[in-house]
Amino acid sequence: MAIGKLFIGRKVRDIRQANGATQAQFADMVGISTSYLNQIENNQRPVSASVLLSLAEKFGIDITELSSGQNDRLLSALTEALSDPLFETYSPSLQELKLVTQNAPGFAHALIAAHQAYRRGNEQLASLDDRLGAAPSQEVTPYDEVRDFFHFVDNYIHDLDLAAEQLATELKLGEGENYAALSGHLEARHGVRVVRGEAGDEAIRRFDPVGRILTVSRYASAPTRDFQIAIQIAQLGAATKIDQVLKQANFRSEEAVEICRMGLYNYFAGALILPYRSFLTAARDLRHDIELLAARFEASLEQVCHRLSTLQRPGLKGVPIFFARIDRAGNITKRHSAARLQFARFGAACPLWNAHQAFETPGRIIRQTAETPDGVRYLCIATQVSKGSAGFRAANPRYALALGCEISYAGAFVYADDLDLSNRGAFDPIGISCRICERVKCTSRAVPPLKRKLVVDHRVRNSMPYEIE
C-alpha cells in the first residue's frame, strides 16, 4: 500500500476518545506500543500503512476519509489565502499547512475568514469614489457564508439525505412517472394541489398556502417541474430537520439563514428525485454516463452532475468528483469538489480547462485529460446546457457543466474509454486560478502569479510582456 507521510494525530485521538479508550487500551487494540500511539497523536511520527489498515479493520474507518475530504478543501483554501502578498514574509511548507488544518482547523477557518474580510475591505476601498466618507463593511456576505457552509460539510447533509431516500422508497420514485408520484404525495399528505401556470406568469413555482395550490410554470421542462414539486414537499415535510441543520450552523445573520434554508430545500429535492443508494448503484452500473442517468431518473443533466458530487455518505461513498457550473464570462456559479482539485475563491476558472470549450460545441460532451501544477492528473468532461424555455424572446442563459475525477478513478467512467491515460504528455496543463498558478510558461495567463517576481526585458517581446522569475 503506497501512501505519503500522514500526520493525522488529531483524527486518531478523536477515534480513540470516541471509543472511550485510554492510550494504553487503544494501542493494544491497534497492535502498537503506547509510546508510538502517543507520538502519533502529537504528530511526532506519521501513521504507517499497517496502522491505517488496523484502524480500518477494527473500527470500520474509511482510510480515504483519514487523508482527504474536508482537510483537502481546508488546505486548499488556506494555501490560497496565504499566497496573498500580505503574507510575503511568511512562506510555510506544505507539511506546516497540513499540520495546521489537521490539528487546528478552527484556527485555519478563522484565518481564512480574516483574509476574506481583508480582501473585501480592499475591494470596497478601491471603488469608493464619491462615497469616501462611508465606512466599508468587512463582514462576510451571507451568500459566501452559506457557500462555505456547504463546502466544509462536503456538500452532504446526512439526516436530510436519509429522510429523502426513505420518502423516495415509499413513493417508488424511478419505477414509474415521477410527476404522478410527487404530485399525488403532495396532495394526499399535505393537501396541496398542483396546477399549471397561466401563459403570462413568469414564476417557475408559486405556492398559495391559503388555497393550498402549487402553481408550476406551464413552460417548465419535466425535470424542472418535478424538482419544483419536490422543493414544495421539502418545505412542508422536512421543515423540522432543516431547522435543526440551520440551528447547528450558527450563521451570523438571518439573511444567511434564509439563503441556506433555500439551499437545503434544494438539497432535499435533489436527494428525493435521485435517492442515494439507487442513484449510486446506477452510477456505478452505467459507468457515470450522465445522459443515461438523466434518462433513468427523469432528471436534468445539471441535477445528475450536482448529485454525483454529493455522494459522500460515510461507509458508502461514490467516486470523489468535482463539479462546477460556469457562465459564458467564466464565473463559477456552482461549485463543489470531493476530489483534490479545489476551485479558487477569487478569480475566474483556468482558460485552459475544457469547460470553456463546451460553449463552442453545444449538445456535445467534451473530454479532456488534464494535469494541475501539483502533478495530479484528472479526467474532465464538460457540456453546455440552456436554462429556460419560454419562447423566442425569453431569456435563455447558457452554462457549461463541468465534472471529473482523479485519473485513478477514470476506469469507472465511460468517458475514459479509448483515451490514452498512460501517456503523461497527452495531459493538458491546467491550473486553478492565474493568481495562484505557478506555471511560468503559460501563454493563456490573465494576471501574474502572486508572490513571484516579474522580470521585464524591454529588448525582447515574447507571448507574455514579462517573465516569471
Side-chain angles (χ1 to χ4, degrees), residues 216-260:
V216 180
S217 171
R218 66 171 53 243
Y219 301 118
S221 65
T224 298
R225 175 200 63 198
D226 294 348
F227 192 81
Q228 295 304 320
I229 297 174
I231 287 177
Q232 194 61 57
I233 291 174
Q235 290 184 4
L236 297 174
T240 300
K241 290 185 179 297
I242 287 174
D243 284 342
Q244 292 172 348
V245 174
L246 293 170
K247 183 177 181 180
Q248 294 171 358
N250 294 318
F251 288 115
R252 302 179 184 181
S253 68
E254 188 61 27
E255 188 177 358
V257 170
E258 294 309 315
I259 291 173
C260 188

Side-chain angles (χ1 to χ4, degrees), residues 89-163:
T89 60
Y90 176 55
S91 298
S93 66
L94 180 61
Q95 188 56 50
E96 285 181 278
L97 295 180
K98 285 183 177 179
L99 288 173
V100 171
T101 57
Q102 291 165 355
N103 295 281
F107 174 79
H109 280 290
L111 180 59
I112 292 167
H115 177 253
Q116 288 177 320
Y118 165 78
R119 280 187 57 88
R120 282 189 297 274
N122 276 2
E123 290 167 358
Q124 290 174 352
L125 283 170
S127 61
L128 278 177
D129 295 332
D130 60 337
R131 296 180 293 111
L132 289 176
S137 170
Q138 296 190 4
E139 285 294 316
V140 62
T141 68
Y143 180 83
D144 286 337
E145 191 178 2
V146 172
R147 186 184 67 180
D148 286 348
F149 164 77
F150 279 102
H151 180 71
F152 288 114
V153 299
D154 214 4
N155 205 23
Y156 176 77
I157 313 295
H158 188 64
D159 289 344
L160 284 185
D161 217 294
L162 288 178

Side-chain angles (χ1 to χ4, degrees), residues 63-83:
I63 292 178
T64 60
E65 294 181 14
L66 292 175
S67 58
S68 61
Q70 182 171 336
N71 276 348
D72 284 341
R73 286 183 292 281
L74 187 56
L75 178 63
S76 174
L78 183 61
T79 301
E80 183 180 358
L82 291 176
S83 68

